[in-house]
């Protein structure tokens, strides 16, 4: 299963709206017969890839799969049936398929007399596929807020200078984080002030994420860097805004507004409907605050630099303020890593029922 997970994550950032899946076929002595992983929507499922590579040697084999084999006819056939006709004797999987459309493969295999072992290395497999799994369970994209800031929570000096607060290792890592998401999102302030590009730097593997920019009043300039041809861009405007003229390959999305703000819930369901399973918030402070206030942050990745800017610096979060401690957003600290002179913290929404304090 560890090997199957390793195979699965080689396609990180390229499979949406489909999951990461890996599969290893073992002979009765435990030797590897064939391997496969899912390369992305429209490509064969991991099981199918491994079965094709195995040919006749799949007979009597054990299939080790990171996700319950599917039972539906979609873009490709039901894997449960393919495993049956190939004569596989045992199926070991990690995570049950959470989609009503594809679930039921384990039952079908058991009913046909195949030995099925469920939930092997489930925790590791949940983590490897966490963006997709959380997304299909909640029906909206998984939301990660990424920021680089000072020890005292500032992202820029009062004059706007911010290059560079964190060092090259942290910035490199942030780039890889971008490549692992389906979409990156910035608010109108960041769009106007920073003219961000949001593409993948040369040499970073992966498919470039969809660039999503909020532009409530429709003021985006046709020469904005985000409108080049490095990746498609979705420009989100409010109902009253004039639809901006965009160069080819980019699209305008019109959303309802509440109290002069674009409806983020609508935005997320629109993105989900387009197959986006993960969104990375890349700025700015007001956008992040809105997601935080609405309880829409699944994960925070913070790059913290050994720098103090003091109270005149611009806060990483702006517009959200807890009146009292019990209203604070409390996160679970999962990872702490040193990257050069900076520290990367990975924090997640606490598990339901978990205590906020230790
Ligand atoms: C995959 N790859 O290796 C496995 C999947 O759109 P379809 O027809 O390709 O079906 C996608 C669903 O099939 C997916 O959401 C998941 O529930 C199931 N299993 N999918 O893309 C795979 N094993
Ligand atoms: Zn399948």
């Amino acid at each position: 299963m560890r090997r199957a997970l390793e195979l699965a994550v080689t396609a990180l950032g390229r499979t949406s709206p489909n999951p990461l899946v890996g599969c290893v076929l073992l002979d009765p002595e435990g030797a590897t017969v064939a391997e496969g992983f899912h390369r992305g929507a429209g490509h064969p499922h991991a099981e199918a890839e491994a079965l094709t590579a195995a040919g006749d040697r799949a007979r009597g084999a054990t299939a080790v799969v990171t996700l319950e084999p599917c039972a539906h006819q979609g873009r490709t056939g039901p894997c449960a049936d393919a495993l049956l006709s190939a004569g596989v004797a045992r199926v070991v999987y990690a995570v049950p398929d959470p989609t009503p459309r594809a679930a039921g493969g384990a039952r079908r295999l058991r009913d046909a007399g195949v030995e099925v072992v469920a939930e092997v290395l489930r925790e590791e497999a949940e983590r490897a596929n966490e963006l997709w799994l959380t997304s299909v369970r909640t029906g909206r994209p998984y939301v990660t807020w990424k920021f680089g800031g000072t020890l005292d929570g500032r992202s820029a000096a009062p004059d706007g200078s911010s290059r560079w607060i964190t060092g090259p290792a942290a910035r490199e890592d942030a780039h890889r984080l971008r490549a692992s998401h389906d979409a990156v999102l910035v608010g109108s302030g960041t769009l106007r002030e920073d003219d961000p590009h949001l593409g993948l730097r040369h040499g970073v593997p992966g498919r470039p994420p969809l660039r999503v920019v909020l532009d409530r009043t429709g003021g985006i300039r046709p020469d904005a860097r985000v409108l080049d041809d490095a990746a498609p861009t979705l420009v989100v405007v409010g109902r009253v805004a004039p639809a901006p003229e965009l160069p080819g390959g980019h699209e305008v999305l019109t959303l309802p507004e509440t109290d002069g703000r674009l409806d983020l819930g609508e935005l997320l369901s629109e993105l989900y409907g387009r197959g986006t399973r993960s969104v990375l918030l890349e700025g700015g402070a007001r956008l992040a605050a809105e997601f935080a206030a609405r309880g829409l942050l699944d994960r925070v990745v913070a790059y913290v630099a050994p720098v103090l800017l003091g109270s005149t610096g611009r806060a990483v979060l702006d517009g959200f303020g807890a009146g009292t401690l019990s209203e604070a957003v409390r996160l679970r600290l999962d990872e702490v890593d040193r990257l050069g002179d900076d520290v990367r913290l990975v924090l997640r929404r606490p598990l339901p029922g978990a205590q906020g304090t230790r």
Side-chain angles (χ1 to χ4, degrees):
M1 188 62 83
R2 289 225 157 76
R3 175 62 187 153
L5 284 169
E6 224 173 78
L7 289 164
V9 300
T10 52
L12 185 66
R14 296 197 288 271
T15 59
S16 282
N18 283 358
L20 295 167
V21 189
C23 175
V24 179
L25 291 172
L26 303 171
D27 70 14
E29 278 71 53
T32 299
V33 171
E35 299 181 331
F37 66 93
H38 186 53
R39 290 162 203 272
H43 292 275
H45 287 185
E47 303 90 317
E49 210 184 70
L51 288 173
T52 305
D56 289 345
R57 292 171 304 147
R59 194 153 297 282
T62 293
V64 182
V65 203
T66 59
L67 184 70
E68 178 187 356
C70 68
H72 75 298
Q73 177 67 53
R75 274 175 281 235
T76 63
C79 291
D81 295 355
L83 292 162
L84 284 175
S85 26
V88 164
R90 256 174 103 223
V91 172
V92 179
Y93 70 91
V95 182
D97 193 306
T99 67
R101 189 171 77 103
R107 158 108 52 89
R108 190 176 303 180
L109 288 159
R110 275 195 194 103
D111 288 351
V114 172
E115 183 192 347
V116 178
V117 185
E119 304 205 23
V120 171
L121 288 191
R122 173 157 184 178
E123 225 173 288
E124 286 88 333
E126 288 265 351
R127 182 50 60 86
N129 224 350
E130 99 176 282
L131 277 55
W132 183 83
L133 285 168
T134 309
S135 175
V136 299
R137 284 170 186 153
T138 57
R140 61 161 177 80
Y142 185 93
V143 178
T144 300
W145 171 38
K146 175 223 101 178
F147 71 87
T150 66
L151 183 60
D152 54 343
R154 310 282 153 176
S155 60
D159 66 351
S161 58
S162 60
R163 281 182 188 195
W164 297 104
I165 291 176
T166 56
R171 298 203 301 275
E172 192 64 36
D173 190 80
H175 229 77
R176 281 194 295 273
L177 184 69
R178 183 183 284 176
S180 67
H181 284 76
D182 297 338
V184 294
L185 173 61
V186 297
S188 4
T190 301
L191 175 67
R192 265 196 316 272
E193 286 158 36
D194 297 355
D195 189 18
H197 180 249
L198 304 175
L200 289 188
R201 209 178 292 143
H202 194 68
V204 174
R207 93 181 154 188
L210 172 70
R211 301 178 288 185
V212 186
V213 297
L214 301 188
D215 183 27
R216 191 175 61 85
T217 54
I220 192 167
R221 296 167 42 123
D223 62 348
R225 294 175 67 222
V226 79
L227 295 178
D228 75 357
D229 58 8
T233 297
L234 188 65
V235 178
V236 186
V237 301
R239 286 256 157 85
V240 291
E245 289 283 328
L246 303 180
H250 307 302
E251 206 189 322
V252 176
L253 169 68
T254 305
L255 282 187
E257 289 161 81
T258 323
D259 302 329
R261 312 290 299 164
L262 290 166
D263 188 326
L264 297 179
E266 278 293 320
L267 172 64
L268 291 181
S269 37
E270 184 70 36
L271 288 173
Y272 190 84
R274 290 163 182 247
T276 298
R277 298 290 172 264
S278 57
V279 173
L280 183 65
L281 308 184
E282 294 238 22
R286 288 188 66 85
L287 181 77
E290 263 185 78
F291 274 85
R294 300 189 50 170
L296 288 172
L297 297 181
D298 295 301
R299 177 171 66 167
V300 179
V301 179
Y303 299 95
V304 180
V307 178
L308 298 172
L309 265 169
S311 58
T312 54
R314 301 192 184 169
V316 296
L317 205 58
D318 173 21
F320 161 76
T324 181
L325 189 56
S326 60
E327 289 169 7
V329 173
R330 244 177 226 281
L331 300 159
R332 186 183 79 217
L333 178 63
D334 282 336
E335 295 166 39
V336 182
D337 288 291
R338 182 177 181 138
L339 296 176
D341 287 332
D342 306 315
V343 176
R344 181 189 59 196
L345 308 175
V346 179
L347 311 105
R348 290 183 179 79
R349 174 199 297 286
L351 297 171
Q355 286 299 305
T357 51
R358 296 191 191 181

